[in-house]
Amino acid sequence: MNEVSARWVGACDWEYRTTFQVDPELLHEERIDLVFEGLDTVAKVALNGQMVGTAENMHVRHRFDVRAVLVPGENHLSVHFGSAIDHARSVEREVGARPGVGSGTNPQLPHQMIRKMACNFGWDWGPQLVTCGIWRPARIEFWSAARLHDVRPLVTQADTQTATVEVHADGEIAAEASGVSLRCVLASPDGRVVAERDDDWSGRPGGDPIVLTVDEPRRWWPIGYGDRPLYELRVELVAADGRVLDVCEQKVGLRQVRLITEPDTRDGGGSMVQGLTRGESFHLEVNGQRVFCKGANWIPDDCFPHRVTPQRYRQRIEQAVDANMNMLRVWGGGIYEDHAFYEICDELGVMVWQDFGFACACYAEEEPLRSEVEAEARDNVARLSRHPSLVIWNGCNENFWAAFDWPAFEGVYPNGELTWGLGYYLDLLPRVVAELDTSRPYWPGSPFSGNLDRHPNGNEYGNCHIWDVWNHDGDYRNYLGHFPRFASEFGYMAPPNWATLDRAIPKDQQHWSSEAMTLHNKQKDGIQRGLERLADSHDPPDRYEDQWFIAAIEQARAIALGCEWFRSLSPWCSGALYWQLNDCWPVTSWSAIDGDGRPKLMWHATQRFFRSRLLTLMPARVTPSGVEVERLAAYLHNDHAERWRGRMQVSRMNVAGQLLDTKTFAVDVAPRGVQKWELSESWIGEADEFLMAHIDGEPTDNRAWWFFGRDRDVEYPTPTLNYTLEETDAGQRLTVASDVLVRELCLLADRIEPSARIDRQLVTLLPGESTVFHVTGDRRLTLEQLTAPDVLRCVNGLQAMVPTPT
Ligand code: BMA
């Protein structure tokens, strides 16, 4: 409950003070700047009692001239922060109140009236902890003649023969310095100079770039499509007398990105799924190669973002890569992340979809906000344009959709009188991108359908967010009623892992709707909705342990179904980014990784459904009603550059273990292709039946399953499990064998040891099969601990809720 007791912090003004010494020698430099990489947010900066600057935007860098104020010896710096809440309210009075949502169960605050990370005011997964302070590094720069500010190496073209890098160097000339020139040297990843040029330099943004041409470039590719060679760019400012005045070194990835939006020339746009009509493509192409974007949405990884170190970014992004993702969408209600985030993405080949900072609200286009918005767009486009991983700029999160038809936004569009941000998304932001960054596309919104004549969240055009499944329709099989061109959000809630709950929620409050659990579930009606979802397929149990397990399993199944279906729609669909990868604190949310960095069961499911070679059983055609499936088909997804050949076996069985039918097919999937085998209607089975498909030579993890019944209606057999525990150099191996079908076996070892990590979860075994769990952590666990009732669990036995392993 600490969130509530800390809320007063955001309502106060704060002052930060420090004293520092200056070496008199340094005062010989012509210019002295006090530089803040980030001030959060409404600040007045004074040096030695004199005001040197003000700030009202968390998302921009600030530079204040302190030449006249700085003294040799002792100096006193103070930064006074006004309450961000008061500031937002006063701007609201000035420009007029506007609708905004997002804060979930937190008290509603006008987050859109200040340029500060919106979710700091609380979100439907985040606490309301309105921060204030110096959140990124600060320093004093002493310099003479000229300095570099941002270097934007824009890769405007990259094919197999040549790549073009336009080096734009923005900076400043101190006084009368003339004859300053710019020298650019580009070296290949193995250190060979491949391009080099000198030119005059005006220091002004918008000046002519230095154009470097690289022959036979080694191109940067997203993970799964090729390597990620990074070239080294060195840019020097050189004075007339040959002195080097400033240097900037950066890594450059040579790649070309395009967003292809073209009308379909045939029904379904080439998809194997029947029943699709026509619309317009929406896909990203990197180096001329179409990519299917597999990933999730990224939110600030901590409610106090300064705590997110490069190591933590790496851990989180590696978790995304280990789950076979190739894209993260940095969502607009958070922050423009640190370079470290994008550098790791550059290195690992994770494409970044970057939103501008607008989410779920109407944004005034008048002053004092307008200039801040422009400054912020310019600053961040200039700062981040060097990263090859950043493949698309996006105007806003859900603001078109909200203006079109969200109840709280009634009267905003088309005939409303107040501005709501349209001019930002369709004019200001694309203008800034066109001026400063010609190396990647811009798209006005997520979702957006290409023009204002169409609903922004349709299936046939642009990208879409699918929220009616979790929020309204219930049964997650309704994902099958959607056929997006690019699904940039869809989510299903589940609680955090046990060790995370234990840290944050007292034991006696670990139940579905205790006071603490309610505070740690921020969706309006989230508690109730979660219970309704539990009831979709089960008779909800009383014990929280059982509710927890069902919620975690259902989240994994729901998002697996959505992602496998959207992949099956390819090439009609070209992206599945679920909501959301991470959390910023311990909370019941839609995340795959909880607030303490522990993967949920859904993360383990992600490893399978985002595999580059995936076998899945899905409907043969679009089912507008969602749940009713008339025919199934096996789809093989081959995201490799080589063909996928083999023999596929599809079997119809019942949960008692009887084989009812089986078929084999010769498989030959084209590189980067999808192949489909339709099964006859007679393969639609009874509630206690299921289909299983497998390809010779593929690991058993890559089997596809389709269970016809809801758990409530299926009598899974009671397993007699056999266990063996072995010690290994890395940790422990638990082998589990079963005599009967076991559905979704999980080892929830963090219940007994918070540091425990398990390599796999959700393992379905046929009668007579076994599986091995690798356990690592700070402590060895006993067989008894690992096989205790709430630790080793499966779906069998859920009806009775009596754990039955022997
Ligand atoms: C969408 C997102 C977020 C939100 C999520 C869950 O609206 O863009 O704003 O957290 O759904 O409701």
Side-chain angles (χ1 to χ4, degrees):
M1 304 300 288
N2 291 335
E3 179 200 354
V4 180
S5 46
R7 285 223 176 114
W8 62 274
V9 171
C12 306
D13 289 12
W14 291 86
E15 189 160 288
Y16 287 67
R17 290 192 204 128
T18 193
T19 299
F20 59 92
Q21 300 290 325
V22 170
D23 177 349
E25 279 294 296
L26 287 167
L27 297 178
H28 300 315
E29 299 286 352
E30 289 167 38
R31 292 282 295 268
I32 306 175
D33 298 336
L34 173 59
V35 179
F36 291 99
E37 298 286 333
L39 290 172
D40 172 17
T41 292
V42 188
K44 292 192 181 96
V45 181
L47 186 60
N48 300 326
Q50 282 194 51
M51 180 89 110
V52 293
T54 60
E56 334 193 321
N57 192 333
M58 177 186 185
H59 304 296
V60 299
R61 295 166 293 177
H62 299 278
R63 175 176 288 269
F64 304 121
D65 180 357
V66 293
R67 184 83 186 81
V69 189
L70 197 82
V71 294
E74 190 163 287
N75 285 265
H76 300 275
L77 175 65
S78 77
V79 186
H80 175 99
F81 289 95
S83 156
I85 300 175
D86 288 351
H87 182 85
R89 289 204 172 113
S90 88
V91 172
E92 184 178 46
R93 281 192 294 277
E94 198 177 329
V95 300
R98 283 165 171 75
V101 294
S103 49
T105 54
N106 301 288
Q108 182 74 39
L109 291 171
H111 65 80
Q112 75 276 40
M113 295 293 170
I114 181 170
R115 298 310 302 157
K116 172 171 165 67
M117 134 187 181
C119 60
N120 206 200
F121 295 90
W123 213 256
D124 61 1
W125 35 259
Q128 187 168 78
L129 292 167
V130 180
T131 54
C132 119
I134 302 167
W135 77 290
R136 280 179 166 158
R139 63 180 178 274
I140 296 179
E141 286 185 8
F142 300 83
W143 58 280
S144 294
R147 70 170 186 94
L148 284 170
H149 189 56
D150 282 310
V151 171
R152 290 175 284 127
L154 304 182
V155 183
T156 51
Q157 168 272 331
D159 58 33
T160 49
Q161 268 116 47
T162 59
T164 310
V165 189
E166 289 183 4
V167 183
H168 297 256
D170 311 333
E172 226 184 323
I173 294 190
E176 300 306 305
S178 61
V180 178
S181 62
L182 193 68
R183 176 185 302 152
C184 297
V185 183
L186 188 68
S188 63
D190 54 15
R192 228 168 7 97
V193 172
V194 290
E196 197 170 5
R197 278 192 66 182
D198 288 21
D199 217 334
D200 293 342
W201 184 71
S202 70
R204 283 185 306 278
D208 288 340
I210 287 193
V211 181
L212 303 177
T213 307
V214 183
D215 293 325
E216 292 175 15
R218 291 187 53 204
R219 290 181 294 172
W220 183 97
W221 292 93
I223 189 164
Y225 290 83
D227 298 336
R228 287 159 301 283
L230 293 169
Y231 285 65
E232 302 276 349
L233 174 68
R234 186 178 162 89
V235 176
E236 292 178 349
L237 279 190
V238 188
D241 62 5
R243 257 179 325 125
V244 175
L245 301 170
D246 203 352
V247 183
C248 169
E249 285 178 317
Q250 293 183 352
K251 292 200 187 329
V252 178
L254 305 178
R255 95 286 179 275
Q256 191 176 332
V257 186
R258 295 199 307 151
L259 174 67
I260 311 291
T261 54
E262 282 168 357
D264 294 317
T265 50
R266 55 189 164 136
D267 284 358
S271 172
M272 300 263 167
V273 174
Q274 294 150 22
L276 296 164
T277 54
R278 290 186 197 200
E280 220 165 75
S281 68
F282 184 93
H283 72 257
L284 282 163
E285 208 184 70
V286 181
N287 303 328
Q289 166 77 58
R290 166 194 201 112
V291 291
F292 190 99
C293 302
K294 300 180 286 190
N297 286 268
W298 171 276
I299 61 164
D301 203 50
D302 198 303
C303 43
F304 305 123
H306 72 279
R307 298 201 295 204
V308 184
T309 58
Q311 291 78 358
R312 188 154 143 193
Y313 275 131
R314 181 171 290 278
Q315 184 201 11
R316 202 68 67 242
I317 298 167
E318 283 179 353
Q319 283 173 312
V321 170
D322 288 346
N324 290 317
M325 297 184 178
N326 64 15
M327 178 178 261
L328 293 172
R329 169 174 171 237
V330 180
W331 166 77
I335 55 174
Y336 306 84
E337 298 288 343
D338 284 355
H339 277 301
F341 171 88
Y342 305 91
E343 275 160 12
I344 297 164
C345 291
D346 293 346
E347 178 197 322
L348 300 180
V350 176
M351 295 176 283
V352 177
W353 168 304
Q354 178 70 50
D355 283 8
F356 284 98
F358 304 89
C360 301
C362 289
Y363 286 82
E365 293 170 47
E366 293 80 35
E367 296 297 353
L369 290 163
R370 186 179 189 85
S371 316
E372 290 297 340
V373 166
E374 174 152 5
E376 169 187 325
R378 289 184 170 280
D379 198 45
N380 285 289
V381 172
R383 184 171 74 89
L384 300 179
S385 59
R386 67 159 121 130
H387 293 286
S389 57
L390 203 163
V391 292
I392 185 167
W393 290 107
N394 173 59
C396 66
N397 175 74
E398 295 185 342
N399 296 348
F400 285 99
W401 185 13
F404 261 66
D405 60 15
W406 288 6
F409 295 70
E410 181 83 54
V412 166
Y413 179 81
N415 301 319
E417 285 178 0
L418 294 174
T419 55
W420 55 276
L422 187 67
Y424 294 150
Y425 319 132
L426 294 186
D427 176 35
L428 191 147
L429 298 174
R431 249 192 304 118
V432 169
V433 173
E435 184 188 324
L436 297 178
D437 184 4
T438 45
S439 67
R440 49 184 60 83
Y442 169 85
W443 185 250
S446 187
F448 188 65
S449 57
N451 69 49
L452 293 167
D453 298 332
R454 304 179 189 129
H455 190 281
N457 202 30
N459 272 308
E460 289 89 353
Y461 299 90
N463 56 331
C464 71
H465 293 188
I466 302 169
W467 279 107
D468 45 1
V469 174
W470 170 260
N471 286 334
H472 311 296
D473 294 348
D475 194 326
Y476 59 75
R477 293 193 193 199
N478 283 308
Y479 282 127
L480 302 173
H482 292 263
F483 42 99
R485 304 312 295 242
F486 191 110
S488 14
E489 280 188 21
F490 49 103
Y492 212 86
M493 262 193 180
N497 289 287
W498 279 102
T500 307
L501 276 175
D502 278 342
R503 183 182 71 73
I505 312 277
K507 275 256 183 274
D508 63 354
Q509 292 228 23
Q510 289 177 6
H511 53 91
W512 199 264
S513 44
S514 68
E515 193 186 8
M517 289 295 285
T518 304
L519 189 77
H520 289 251
N521 181 331
K522 293 293 187 182
Q523 191 185 27
K524 278 201 183 105
D525 307 323
I527 295 274
Q528 183 51 30
R529 204 159 286 168
L531 283 174
E532 283 164 17
R533 292 300 85 89
L534 285 184
D536 288 340
S537 319
H538 301 85
D539 301 322
D542 296 333
R543 282 176 74 225
Y544 183 66
E545 283 80 354
D546 300 326
Q547 297 171 344
W548 182 97
F549 188 58
I550 295 175
I553 292 270
E554 293 284 289
Q555 182 194 32
R557 288 184 185 173
I559 298 303
L561 183 88
C563 289
E564 291 183 33
W565 175 236
F566 302 151
R567 284 186 75 178
S568 298
L569 293 165
S570 167
W572 168 276
C573 176
S574 68
L577 309 180
Y578 63 71
W579 186 268
Q580 72 218 55
L581 180 75
N582 54 338
D583 269 333
C584 64
W585 75 317
V587 63
T588 296
S589 82
W590 303 269
S591 72
I593 300 166
D594 73 23
D596 283 359
R598 293 190 177 88
K600 297 187 188 175
L601 297 184
M602 197 237 301
W603 180 88
H604 291 273
T606 309
Q607 287 195 309
R608 183 191 120 76
F609 63 68
F610 280 157
R611 287 175 69 100
S612 54
R613 278 185 173 161
L614 174 75
L615 167 59
T616 181
L617 292 161
M618 283 286 134
R621 55 178 302 123
V622 170
T623 51
S625 69
V627 194
E628 292 309 317
V629 175
E630 287 158 17
R631 253 166 194 256
L632 287 166
Y635 294 86
L636 277 99
H637 301 272
N638 181 19
D639 284 353
H640 277 247
E642 297 87 44
R643 301 193 82 79
W644 187 13
R645 290 202 175 94
R647 255 164 39 91
M648 174 173 66
Q649 190 167 35
V650 188
S651 309
R652 188 153 70 90
M653 303 178 76
N654 63 22
V655 294
Q658 277 173 300
L659 180 64
L660 306 172
D661 205 348
T662 187
K663 266 186 187 306
T664 42
F665 303 85
V667 164
D668 186 0
V669 197
R672 316 266 180 219
V674 189
Q675 206 174 354
K676 174 186 178 191
W677 281 266
E678 205 161 314
L679 302 166
S680 75
E681 279 161 28
S682 65
W683 277 60
I684 298 288
E686 301 297 319
D688 67 338
E689 292 176 18
F690 64 92
L691 304 187
M692 195 273 285
H694 178 233
I695 296 192
D696 286 355
E698 281 289 306
T700 49
D701 285 352
N702 198 14
R703 294 192 286 198
W705 305 88
W706 183 276
F707 285 82
F708 292 99
R710 288 161 203 274
D711 288 338
R712 181 196 288 123
D713 306 322
V714 183
E715 293 240 354
Y716 294 102
T718 303
T720 309
L721 301 176
N722 281 310
Y723 321 114
T724 348
L725 183 63
E726 293 156 274
E727 304 295 313
T728 66
D729 292 345
Q732 295 173 289
R733 279 163 57 101
L734 178 71
T735 307
V736 183
S738 172
D739 56 341
V740 295
L741 173 94
V742 170
R743 191 161 179 204
E744 289 156 330
L745 187 64
C746 298
L747 180 56
L748 309 173
D750 68 300
R751 279 199 68 106
I752 36 170
E753 170 49 45
S755 69
R757 287 181 305 277
I758 311 298
D759 66 328
R760 53 170 45 193
Q761 301 287 7
L762 303 163
V763 183
T764 295
L765 298 175
L766 292 174
E769 289 186 339
S770 64
T771 190
V772 178
F773 294 100
H774 292 268
V775 187
T776 47
D778 298 346
R779 196 160 63 91
R780 304 264 143 167
L781 300 168
T782 63
L783 184 64
E784 202 183 2
Q785 286 175 312
L786 285 168
T787 57
D790 285 324
V791 177
L792 186 68
R793 297 202 68 164
C794 60
V795 170
N796 308 40
L798 272 184
Q799 304 98 323
M801 291 303 155
V802 206
T804 44
T806 59

